[in-house]
């Protein structure tokens, strides 16, 4: 029997329904901004970052959580004794926050950590705690942001004794205001993909279930002779420098997507109806091949759950495709032109042409 993300305990339909309910309630609070001299710009709600507008710029705010990737690190620490994995977890926590923040065009200013434990003894492992802090600080520097503080509550009875729940928030700014990415996608836009390092920060609940069921667990070997656990714990790539470079080069980013939950279905996150036609699909990384084989997951489920080697996508005018690729490569990112945006009436879908896969929006809510 094959595994799916839902069978591993994650149902995005239920999560998305709660998000929509929260958005409806949140809209009743908009009036509070006026007292502070700010207003809420149109179309910010439902995007990855929330914006407030002043006369001269936008401020952006994001709250994000790491998920369960640190449980993989816990397992690998037990198996190998190496605390280095928590350095990567620190990077991952910042990456999942700031990569969402930049989707509106905001550059990070300050990042805060929220680290909740079931028992304060978690911090008694000083090497592990130091690795986490060092990774978090390194990622803040890579993002051009200060680590501004955080919270370390002990939540006995809510968080398990040996576990830590990692999350955080960030504040950023869009200045000048024309750097805001508003989703002005056009028919014929080029789709530019920036490579991921691997699974990054989504799909880990399913990956943990695979390890639980595999005879060798996290020490199972992937095709590139690495352990499954090592491959899962490659730190996420941070894409802040790419957005900054595009802004400095005045490359028009019509829209960008941080490819996380929902896999390649996330490519149709923008509100307007377009078909996102992907013509160039790279060979999956060894870790994804291992996941697909071990869990007997077909291609449609894999590309609808995991990033499959794509961490970030940018939609730009076709005339700006080469400049966008140059900007990505100038920052050290592996990037390629993957396809194009097509207008087909009211249809909203992602077509992965070489794999004969199509995801239609009527089966998915991403807002």
């Amino acid at each position: 029997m094959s595994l799916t993300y839902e069978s591993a305990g994650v149902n995005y339909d239920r999560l998305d329904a709660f998000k929509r309910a929260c958005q409806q309630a949140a809209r009743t609070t908009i009036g509070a901004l006026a007292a502070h001299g700010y207003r809420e710009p149109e179309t910010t709600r439902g995007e990855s970052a929330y914006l407030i507008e002043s006369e001269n710029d936008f401020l952006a705010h994001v709250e994000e959580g790491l998920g369960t990737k640190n449980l993989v690190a816990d397992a690998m620490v037990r198996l190998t004794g190496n605390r280095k994995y928590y350095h990567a977890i620190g990077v991952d926590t910042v990456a999942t926050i700031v990569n969402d923040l930049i989707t509106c065009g905001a550059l990070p200013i300050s990042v805060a950590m929220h680290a909740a434990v079931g028992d304060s003894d978690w911090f008694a492992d000083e090497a592990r705690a130091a690795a986490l802090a060092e990774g978090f600080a390194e990622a803040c520097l890579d993002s051009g942001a200060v680590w501004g503080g955080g919270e370390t509550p002990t939540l006995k009875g809510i968080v398990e004794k040996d576990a830590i729940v990692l999350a955080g928030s960030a504040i950023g700014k869009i200045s000048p205001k024309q750097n805001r990415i508003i989703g002005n996608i056009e028919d014929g836009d080029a789709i530019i993909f920036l490579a991921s390092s691997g699974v990054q920060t989504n799909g880990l609940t399913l990956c943990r279930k695979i390890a639980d069921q595999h005879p060798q667990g996290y020490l199972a070997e992937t095709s590139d002779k690495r352990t499954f656990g090592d491959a899962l714990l490659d730190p996420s790539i941070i894409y802040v420098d790419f957005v900054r470079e595009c802004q400095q080069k005045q490359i028009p980013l019509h829209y960008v997507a941080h490819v996380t939950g929902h896999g390649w279905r996330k490519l149709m996150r923008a509100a307007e109806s377009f078909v996102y036609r992907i013509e160039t699909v790279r060979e999956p990384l060894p870790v994804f091949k291992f996941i697909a084989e071990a869990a007997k997951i077909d291609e449609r489920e894999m590309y609808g759950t995991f990033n499959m080697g794509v961490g970030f996508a940018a939609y730009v005018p076709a005339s700006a495709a080469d400049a966008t690729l140059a900007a990505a490569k100038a920052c050290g990112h592996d990037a390629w032109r993957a396809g194009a945006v097509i207008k087909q009436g009211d249809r909203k879908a992602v077509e992965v042409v070489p794999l004969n896969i199509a995801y239609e929006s009527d089966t998915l809510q991403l807002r």
Side-chain angles (χ1 to χ4, degrees), residues 42-123:
E42 293 183 6
T43 70
T44 186
R45 291 197 177 269
E47 293 295 337
S48 296
Y50 177 70
L51 296 183
I52 59 174
E53 183 176 7
S54 70
E55 290 303 316
N56 299 316
D57 54 40
F58 296 97
L59 293 180
H61 179 246
V62 161
E63 166 82 15
E64 258 297 338
L66 173 69
T68 64
K69 191 170 183 175
N70 56 292
L71 295 180
V72 180
D74 289 340
M76 289 299 287
V77 168
R78 289 193 295 269
L79 289 167
T80 68
N82 196 332
R83 267 67 176 166
K84 70 174 184 179
Y85 297 109
Y86 262 87
H87 185 280
I89 291 300
V91 173
D92 284 318
T93 305
V94 174
T96 196
I97 299 166
V98 298
N99 286 342
D100 270 5
L101 187 74
I102 58 174
T103 59
C104 66
L107 300 180
I109 297 173
S110 175
V111 181
M113 174 194 282
H114 191 275
V117 294
D119 191 302
S120 56
D121 282 348
W122 193 94
F123 299 105

Side-chain angles (χ1 to χ4, degrees), residues 265-282:
R265 295 177 293 174
K266 202 65 165 281
L267 298 174
M268 56 175 159
R269 195 181 198 280
E272 194 172 347
S273 296
F274 286 100
V275 175
Y276 302 87
R277 184 167 294 158
I278 307 304
E279 301 280 0
T280 302
V281 178
R282 287 185 170 180

